[in-house]
Amino acid sequence: MINIVNLHAEVEEKKILKGLNLNVKAGEIHAIMGPNGSGKSTLASILAGKEDYTVTAGNVEFDGKDLLELSTEDRARQGLFLAFQYPIEIPGVSNVNFLKSALNEIREYRGEEQISAKDFLALVKEKSALVELDSKLASRSVNEGFSGGEKKRNEIFQMAMLNPKLAILDETDSGLDIDALRIVANGVNKLRSPKNAAIIITHYQRLLDYIIPDFVHVLYDGRIVKSGGKELALELEEKGYDWIKEELASNAE
Amino acid sequence: MENISKIQAFASKFKETNLAFTPTSIADAKNTLLHLDFPTTKTEFWKYTRLAKLAQLRLNQEKIRENEQVVAPLTDNGIVRITNGYITSFSKEIAGLTITPFSKCSEQQLSLIGKKADLKQNIFLALNTLYSQEGLFIEVEENAQIEGVFQLLFHAHGENCFAPFRVFIHVKKGSAFKLIQQFTASGEHLFSLPIVEYLVEENARISCDKLQMENASSFLLCEDYSIQKRNSTVLLNTFSISGAWVRNNSSFLIEGENCETNLNGAYLLKDLQHLDNHTIVDHIAPHCNSNELYKGILSGKSTGVFNGKVFVRPNAQKISAFQSNANVLLSDDASVNSKPELEIYANDVKCSHGSTTGQLDENAVFYLRARGLSEKSARSLITQAFIAEVVDKVEQKEVRDFIKNKLVELHDWTN
Ligand SMILES: Nc1ncnc2c1ncn2[C@@H]1O[C@H](COP(=O)(O)OP(=O)(O)OP(=O)(O)O)[C@@H](O)[C@H]1O
Ligand SMILES: [Mg+2]
């Protein structure tokens, strides 16, 4: 699905990613954990096409294509979705209206027919019910005046609407209450299929009780420094990151 | 040869009017044009708007009697067409409305015109007073609730034409009136100078949408003067959609208690367009509310000016006055000068003003693109949303839709 090889990236001459490798296959869920500031959101932003970052080395293959060559919108149209760590508010732009345009532009790109008003409404109804997002919220301005948890739920609603091949969730669990966490996890699980994949960035193993990952990775100082199964998340929860830093230091000697 | 002033040279081909509003109006106008000249940018009121290009024009007043339609009227409730300052088609009869050309007005009616406007200081008012060949007096009968929207279609046509026109709208006690003023132009070097006065009596209400859609070589100077009596409401929305050079001087005198005054403006400027909105809201009476919201988007090498003055006189206690101007610059070469001003002489009042100028939120653009929207759609959605706040102040849906469609058409937005 996506193969990231030796990715180096910087912003304003600050090196953030320093040779990151990650290979995610269709049907898999990968969790990425790691200390604050290690580069997790930067990785997500680069994959989504944010131009603030400069890729200085490495490459990313997404579904057989050179991802870094594609514009942000074409990445989305190819089936990549990023749920933002900090979803922004866009006053005056209606959530459902823009989603309808987005959906139709995606369909046009894929040579598919435009969605009818009726089918679109049915889809909104189905997907907002899935993430238990109040239909009033669904039609309001994008995230404007939404609570932190509502913003996160709106991200998952949009993900459900667009049905991506690869979903990247950047700390979608933070700021969610227990019920919302279950709802969001449920939304992700419903989309799970042998054809789709997800990368889940989180600080808490709690989410991974609901969304069982196939692999857990530790991103530290711009690199994946450790990978394992779901038990790695439990170990991190218990012991923190110091032991990994120590391991790295002793390996370097 | 005698040394004549720029304004005299400018007016050399104009025809003096046969209309006189007051016994002294003609003499006062002549005197003003004799003693004042085109203001320069050293004059505070014209600091950011140059008049040099306008002053160089040598214009005629060309009488046109046939109609030319550039933009279709929105409804057919009642339409008066004014071409080059001459009435070219008259409205059908509408219950509750009396529409009279100045030439047929009573002395009592004419005596109401030009009362609060300062003819001695303002050369454009003087030009309008001395050279308007025709004018229109609109009277809304007491307690009449006029249905639908009435339209004044101002059109300038030809080459090197000067189109002054004067309108007086008397909204009598307890009545309600909705009006659209549409400004269009076809041809080159046209200067339209429509001046509209509103006298809004007790418990009366007027809403007016001005749609400015002139062309790439036209000059449009609109002056609006409103006087409000007790419990009256005025809503004026100004949409500057096209036109090379537009200046709006809007002045609101709130004489009676419990009045509502709402002024909104939206402008979308591109290429070399220049727009200057000057507003004055003068609170004389207590217990009134005024709200002012102007928003603009500027691209290309366009320039915008906002100058909003709010006066709160000593007697105007317990009023609230809000004023805001927000601008988005889409190019490095576009610029805005924004100056909201408050002068408060009463102590128990709620007032605020603010002005912002910035770029389009690039994070918002990225967010929408990350959902699959093209960059163009993303930008146009965000700019439309910015302006929509003003468009939504328009009361009639057909007018809102018209403005939105016009903006889509002219500014290459995706719908
Ligand atoms: N646009 C930027 N300009 C300057 N520095 C940046 C920028 N974006 C990220 N950084 C820096 O890069 C580093 C990695 O940031 P990033 O947001 O990717 O961390 P993270 O792993 O997501 O952290 P967290 O767990 O706190 O979300 C940080 O030191 C951050 O300050
Ligand atoms: Mg982060």
Side-chain angles (χ1 to χ4, degrees), chain A residues 48-50 72-73 76-77 81-82 84 88 90-93 98 101-102 105-106 142-143 155 158 162, chain B residues 361-378 381-382 385-386 388 414-415:
Chain A
K50 197 152 170 77
T72 295
E73 51 269 42
R77 293 162 180 178
F81 182 92
L82 167 61
F84 289 91
I88 59 158
I90 315 180
V93 173
F98 108 74
S101 308
E105 286 195 27
I106 291 170
V142 179
N143 295 326
E155 294 291 283
Q158 293 181 28
L162 300 177
Chain B
D361 182 352
E362 288 302 323
N363 288 324
V365 175
F366 179 70
Y367 186 97
L368 296 180
R369 290 176 70 196
R371 300 302 187 237
L373 278 181
S374 68
E375 178 166 3
K376 187 167 167 248
S377 309
L381 258 188
I382 297 164
F386 178 76
T414 40
N415 209 343

Side-chain angles (χ1 to χ4, degrees), chain B residues 10 13-14 53-54 56-62 84 156-163 186-192 217 219:
Chain B
F10 181 73
K13 294 184 192 166
F14 299 166
K53 275 200 189 128
L54 176 66
Q56 279 164 13
L57 299 180
R58 291 295 168 264
L59 307 173
N60 295 297
Q61 285 176 275
E62 200 172 308
N84 286 6
H157 173 79
E159 276 178 32
N160 302 306
C161 293
F162 174 48
S186 65
E188 286 207 19
H189 303 130
L190 303 162
F191 175 38
S192 303
S217 75
F219 293 79

Side-chain angles (χ1 to χ4, degrees), chain B residues 98-110:
Chain B
T98 318
I99 306 161
T100 320
F102 279 178
S103 55
K104 295 188 179 133
C105 279
S106 68
E107 245 170 63
Q108 189 271 333
Q109 284 178 318
L110 291 177

Side-chain angles (χ1 to χ4, degrees), chain B residues 2 11 65 112 152 154 158 180 214 224 251 287 358 364 367 399 405:
Chain B
E2 205 187 335
R65 282 294 173 199
L112 294 172
L152 293 176
F154 294 90
I180 294 172
E214 293 215 344
D224 288 85
S251 161
H287 302 289
Y367 186 97
V399 184
N405 289 334

Side-chain angles (χ1 to χ4, degrees), chain B residues 400-415:
Chain B
R400 286 198 299 272
D401 289 345
F402 173 83
I403 294 166
K404 282 179 186 160
N405 289 334
K406 202 75 205 164
L407 293 177
V408 166
E409 177 192 319
L410 285 173
H411 293 271
D412 199 22
W413 284 352
T414 40
N415 209 343

Side-chain angles (χ1 to χ4, degrees), chain A residues 8-194:
Chain A
H8 286 72
E10 57 186 49
V11 64
E12 287 157 12
E13 298 188 2
K14 180 178 174 189
K15 291 185 170 59
I16 301 174
L17 299 185
K18 303 171 184 172
L20 187 141
N21 297 295
L22 181 68
N23 189 358
V24 177
K25 297 197 173 66
E28 292 176 353
I29 289 190
H30 290 236
I32 296 181
M33 304 179 82
N36 293 131
S38 56
K40 303 181 297 296
S41 294
T42 300
L43 171 66
S45 295
I46 289 169
L47 295 180
K50 197 152 170 77
E51 279 146 15
D52 303 8
Y53 303 94
T54 317
V55 173
T56 50
N59 61 69
V60 182
E61 191 188 296
F62 174 58
D63 217 18
K65 288 172 199 70
D66 183 351
L67 185 79
L68 301 178
E69 284 300 308
L70 298 174
S71 67
T72 295
E73 51 269 42
D74 283 352
R75 296 179 195 197
R77 293 162 180 178
Q78 294 278 354
L80 186 136
F81 182 92
L82 167 61
F84 289 91
Q85 180 173 5
Y86 304 108
I88 59 158
E89 303 190 4
I90 315 180
V93 173
S94 141
N95 221 4
V96 285
N97 285 358
F98 108 74
L99 272 176
K100 187 166 179 208
S101 308
L103 207 55
N104 277 331
E105 286 195 27
I106 291 170
R107 285 178 172 226
E108 193 183 324
Y109 179 86
R110 296 178 186 164
E112 296 165 9
E113 257 182 58
Q114 302 281 287
I115 190 164
S116 73
K118 189 166 155 267
D119 290 350
F120 180 75
L121 276 180
L123 195 65
V124 168
K125 215 168 158 192
E126 181 198 331
K127 301 303 182 187
S128 56
L130 177 71
V131 298
E132 296 178 30
L133 184 78
D134 190 328
S135 61
K136 280 198 207 85
L137 286 185
S139 54
R140 268 197 356 218
S141 288
V142 179
N143 295 326
E144 195 182 26
F146 285 28
S147 75
E150 285 166 349
K151 284 180 184 168
K152 296 298 177 78
R153 234 189 269 190
N154 190 21
E155 294 291 283
I156 301 304
F157 165 65
Q158 293 181 28
M159 178 183 86
M161 288 292 293
L162 300 177
N163 191 24
K165 273 186 231 155
L166 175 68
I168 304 164
L169 310 189
D170 191 358
E171 293 195 30
T172 302
D173 54 334
S174 47
L176 291 181
D177 63 40
I178 304 288
D179 290 336
L181 188 71
R182 207 167 336 107
I183 291 161
V184 162
N186 189 33
V188 175
N189 286 332
K190 283 254 168 69
L191 293 173
R192 207 166 175 170
S193 88

